Structures are given as structure tokens and as C-alpha cells.
Amino acid sequence: MPELPEVETLARTLRPALIGKTILASDLRWKRTLAAPSPEAFKRKIRGQEITEVSRRAKYFILRLSSVSLLIHLRMSGGLLVVLGGYQPEKHDRLILKLTDDTSLIFSDPRKFGRVWLVDDPARVFADLGPEPLSEAFTAGWLFAALRARRRQLKPLLLDQTFLAGLGNIYVDESLHRAKLHPLTPSDRVTARQAEGLRNAIRATLEEGIRQNGASIDWVYRGGGFQNQFRVYGRTGQACPVCGRKIQRLTVGQRGTHFCPKCQKLKD
DNA sequence: AGAACCCCCTGTTTGC
DNA sequence: TGCAAACAGGGGGTTC
């Protein structure tokens, strides 16, 4: 489920239920979910920690604790849930944190791609991430210069978290359509004016996604409404909302890529 | 440097 | 209908 707007929605939604709670015990049900430290050290260090802050960086969900930080990356199929009362673990639960006030935080993840870190310094995990697209650092000028410094197709470049952090397959396709740029456009051929349009399109798309509480697709994530406003994502063969032409799909970097052949022309 | 391919996993959808 | 292949919101790795 998780791109920036979905993780942001989770942080906003779970914050009031988590702030001030103390972690009484942990139950790691799939060892490889834990990226660091060792399962033994994790169990020992997390017990007794109080949750002081709930936030997000890129697609990472962050729990600031008394003396360490818990980072959770949901990857393709992860989800987080706070439950009240006696809880019977379910099939896809990978980590369960028992909290005060008879509550638990459940990390569920059918595909097991999700990862959890318990670290002293989150900055080390985040070291290679590009800027936050909703921060002030993400200006048209920065984007234009950064695009020119590379020679890559826009689609894979915008998915690259070291270039820009937080976009995933949905929001890249939606942003490129809004910006009227073909996904295969070489980054160093984007004009300053197009870069400004792309910057604005990315921000508008993410802000709308957050406003809609993210996108709900398949069985993984529910509650968001952004899926009802997709312009191109998952709409192969359907009409472009701008010009009516049929949306096309191609594969770029192993990822399904959706675009309008009329609105997003590839010039040469 | 960048593109193309592999892998990690499970569940659902699609095509024959 | 049944079964196999394709596909899925992510990201790390190798090879050319």
C-alpha cells in the first residue's frame, strides 16, 4: 500500500492512539522482517520504551521512542493497525508490539517485503534518500538542475528514492500525466519550464493523495479515496480524462507504466 | 552512468 | 472449469 501519501495518512491516523504509550513486549513472528538489530537485541531494547513521536520520512513510518527510534518500511504489502483488547495473531502478522492501555500495534505484511529497524540514529538509515517532495528544498530550480545532471528516463528516475524520496508507481504515473511528460523522456531534455510544471504536478498529486487519505487498491489498504481520481494508473484502455484518448501501458524498469499517448508525447 | 535483468514473497487476476 | 502465467503500491543486487 505504501507511497508517501499512504504512509503520511497512517502517521496522522495512528498518532493519537500511539503517543504516550509504553511498549510492554514484542512478538517478532517473521525473523527477516527485522533489518536491525538482532532479534535478541531488539526484544531487549524495545521493552519499556515510551512512544514520544509518530512521523514519516519518505515512505518510512517512524516511531520516536524514549531512547531509540523504530523505523518501519511497508514495501509492497505492509500495513499497520492499532487494536484494543485481547488479540489473536493472524496469518500475515510479522511483528506485534504489546502496548499499555490494553492495546497492540500490529505490523501485517503478506509478501514479507517490509522491514523494521530499531536504531539510535535514524539519519544513518535515511542517509541516501533524496529530498522530500513536500519540503521547501524541492524547488523548480533544484529539480531542473538535478534532471540535467542525469541522463535517465523520467519514470525510473522519479522512482529512484536517492533522487527524490517518497514517490512510487502510482504517484509517478499520475504526476507525469499531470505534467504532460512522457515517462521515457530523457531527464536532461526537460526544459526549465517543464521542470517547474513537473515540480508543481508532483506536489499537487501528493497533496491531493494526502487529502484523500491515500489510495485504496486490492486487499492491502483501505480507507483512502485517491483511487477514484486516477487519471492513468491502472486505467489501460480507458479514456484519458483530459483528451479522451485511450490510456496505454508499457513496462519500464520492470514496472507497469500508464500514460496518455496524446497528452504525453515523446518528442525527439 | 544507466538500462535490463534477477531476486525477495504471497495472493489475485488474466489468458488460454 | 482449470491451470499456469502474469501481475501487484518496493527496493537491493548483478551484469553489460
Side-chain angles (χ1 to χ4, degrees), chain A residues 21-267:
Chain A
K21 299 271 199 299
T22 295
I23 299 170
L24 302 173
S26 62
D27 180 11
L28 178 64
R29 306 176 66 80
W30 179 254
K31 294 266 189 284
R32 271 183 285 177
T33 289
L34 189 58
S38 68
E40 298 73 31
F42 178 86
K43 196 174 188 66
R44 174 165 40 82
K45 286 184 175 175
I46 203 165
R47 206 182 61 206
Q49 293 280 321
E50 183 186 341
I51 300 169
T52 62
E53 232 179 277
V54 179
S55 60
R56 175 197 64 75
R57 165 80 168 103
K59 302 174 192 172
Y60 291 82
F61 179 85
I62 307 172
L63 287 187
R64 181 135 217 139
L65 308 175
S66 314
S67 61
V68 286
S69 291
L70 183 71
L71 314 178
I72 303 178
H73 197 305
L74 286 67
R75 295 281 174 91
M76 291 285 265
S77 64
L80 290 168
L81 186 66
V82 175
V83 297
L84 182 64
Y87 177 77
Q88 286 301 106
E90 293 187 10
K91 185 178 180 184
H92 300 305
D93 295 349
R94 308 304 177 199
L95 176 66
I96 299 177
L97 299 180
K98 192 174 184 320
L99 310 175
T100 41
D101 298 335
D102 199 27
T103 58
S104 299
L105 175 63
I106 317 294
F107 173 49
S108 156
D109 182 24
R111 293 179 72 179
K112 302 175 176 172
F113 290 163
R115 290 293 179 268
V116 170
W117 294 253
L118 188 68
V119 294
D120 294 325
D121 181 15
R124 201 168 306 177
V125 177
F126 301 153
D128 293 333
L129 290 177
E132 281 287 321
L134 295 179
S135 74
E136 296 194 355
F138 183 55
T139 62
W142 175 85
L143 182 59
F144 181 54
L147 289 172
R148 294 194 62 137
R150 317 275 197 113
R151 183 185 250 99
R152 289 183 66 185
Q153 300 168 333
L154 287 182
K155 173 73 189 257
L157 183 57
L158 292 175
L159 283 176
D160 183 342
Q161 302 297 296
T162 68
F163 181 79
L164 186 63
L167 294 182
N169 213 31
I170 290 177
Y171 292 90
V172 168
D173 282 5
E174 294 296 303
S175 297
L176 286 173
H177 180 268
R178 196 185 273 254
K180 299 189 185 297
L181 288 167
H182 192 284
L184 298 182
T185 306
S187 60
D188 62 339
R189 293 199 43 243
V190 172
T191 66
R193 189 181 169 83
Q194 288 174 325
E196 182 178 9
L198 178 57
R199 181 263 187 194
N200 293 338
I202 289 170
R203 287 179 80 111
T205 303
L206 291 173
E207 282 164 3
E208 182 60 15
I210 291 171
R211 205 179 70 74
Q212 298 284 334
N213 295 317
S216 308
I217 299 188
D218 294 340
W219 75 101
V220 183
Y221 179 78
R222 301 187 215 313
F226 191 56
Q227 70 282 2
N228 298 319
Q229 309 186 199
F230 287 167
R231 298 160 165 245
V232 291
Y233 183 82
R235 298 190 63 249
T236 310
Q238 294 178 243
C240 168
V242 173
C243 75
R245 278 282 286 281
K246 286 189 175 178
I247 301 303
Q248 289 185 6
R249 178 189 188 279
L250 51 92
T251 300
V252 185
Q254 312 292 110
R255 311 301 300 277
T257 297
H258 314 78
F259 70 103
C260 170
K262 187 173 178 189
C263 294
Q264 299 166 268
K265 282 208 176 8
L266 184 61
K267 308 180 193 99

